[in-house]
Amino acid sequence: SSSSSSSSSSSSSGADDEEGEGNNGFHDSVAQIDGEELRATVVAAFRADELADKHLADKVTVEVDQELLAKHSRKIEALQCIRLRYTPSWPLNMVISQASLQKYAQIFTFLLQILRAKHAMQTLYKRNALPRKLSSLQLAHQFNLLRSRAFHFVANTHAYLMLRVVDSVWGTFQKEVEQSSSSDLDRLCSLHNQYLDKIQYQTLLFTKVSQAFEAIKKILNLCLELEKLGQGSKLSKQHLDKALVTRLTIINHDFHKRLRFLMVILTKIVESGYHAHLEDILTRLNFNEHYLQACSLCKNTPSNGKQLEVCSNCKEVWYCSSECRNKAAPDHKLTCTAKLNPRSLK
């Protein structure tokens, strides 16, 4: 259990290294749709991981579903083709069941998909070639702005998953195991199942928030499309600009549409009061309410295309209706006046 989780965590952390040859080789092999090379790369990654249990790594076999890989091509779903096979020996098999291994595989695939999109955005930053091919500075600016927003999304989603979920839950699990009796097998099995359920719960891998999970995957696919767009084209400059404008406009529209949809879902879930941990990722993605502004009084978000009303003085506070504006006026008048006239604070 410990080795398996540590291996997944360290492998994920290793992908942050932009200069790592192993990571570049892995992502390149996915793009080339070469199943055997992909399998060999994953095996090599397990054995090269300095934090992984070498004995455990030798027992893990990797299978690649070539048909599934070719079907999804450059989509994020292509990584579902990687299947890790591991048969725990006695007495570990009494704790790590086949059902547990399926949960590990599901978590592993999702983390891998996040890292794939993150690597794609990092590659665009390092390459930085597309703007030099464009005759329009405005188009180059639009591409760079979308690239920055996409990187912000995947980087913060990855940070939430690794820091708020994996590392945090793993630390709690370790403490609970240390405090329990080593002879109480039922207790150990229960703690391990709770550990996996908690990770699945906090990584959106459960039915009640499936809409949020699917929205994230669609955004990850848009990141891969943006990476493909940034790889350039053999078209002439005139036709290149025309093709890029059309595709870039579509990707930009879809990205903001799906991201806003995700923000709305997460906001509703957090407001329900049953999933407080999701407030972390909501704050990371919607910092300073950049993508989804809410009423400063009731905290509701506008619907049906309705726009929020901004305070005409400070331009920093928003309301969903005149009723909320009037209710908040006595309290807001103090802070609003302070912003316009600092002497009022003295």
Side-chain angles (χ1 to χ4, degrees), residues 7-60:
S7 175
S8 297
S9 177
S10 59
S11 297
S12 300
S13 300
D16 288 344
D17 182 6
E18 297 183 22
E19 305 300 329
E21 294 181 1
N23 294 324
N24 290 337
F26 167 75
H27 291 289
D28 289 344
S29 64
V30 173
Q32 294 171 5
I33 318 298
D34 188 333
E36 183 56 34
E37 182 181 355
L38 177 58
R39 189 197 68 80
T41 304
V42 175
V43 172
F46 267 100
R47 295 177 178 174
D49 194 335
E50 296 179 356
L51 300 178
D53 187 319
K54 304 301 180 185
H55 180 67
L56 176 65
D58 291 337
K59 290 187 176 182
V60 175

Side-chain angles (χ1 to χ4, degrees), residues 183-191 193:
S183 60
D184 191 344
L185 183 60
D186 290 337
R187 173 63 175 166
L188 185 58
C189 291
S190 176
L191 289 176
N193 289 332

Side-chain angles (χ1 to χ4, degrees), residues 28 31 77 106 131 147 190 240 271 287 317:
D28 289 344
E77 288 80 6
Q106 189 180 22
R147 178 178 61 177
S190 176
L240 177 63
E271 288 176 349
F287 183 73
V317 179

Side-chain angles (χ1 to χ4, degrees), residues 27-28 30-31 74 76 116-125 127 130 143 146-147 150 220-232 251:
H27 291 289
D28 289 344
V30 173
R74 296 179 63 92
I76 207 70
R116 171 68 183 95
K118 184 178 180 182
H119 174 83
M121 295 301 95
Q122 288 174 331
T123 302
L124 284 182
Y125 268 105
R127 183 183 295 118
L130 181 60
F143 174 84
L146 178 57
R147 178 178 61 177
L220 297 181
N221 273 319
L222 290 174
C223 291
L224 297 191
E225 288 191 46
L226 187 62
E227 178 197 31
K228 184 178 179 181
L229 191 68
Q231 291 177 345
I251 295 176

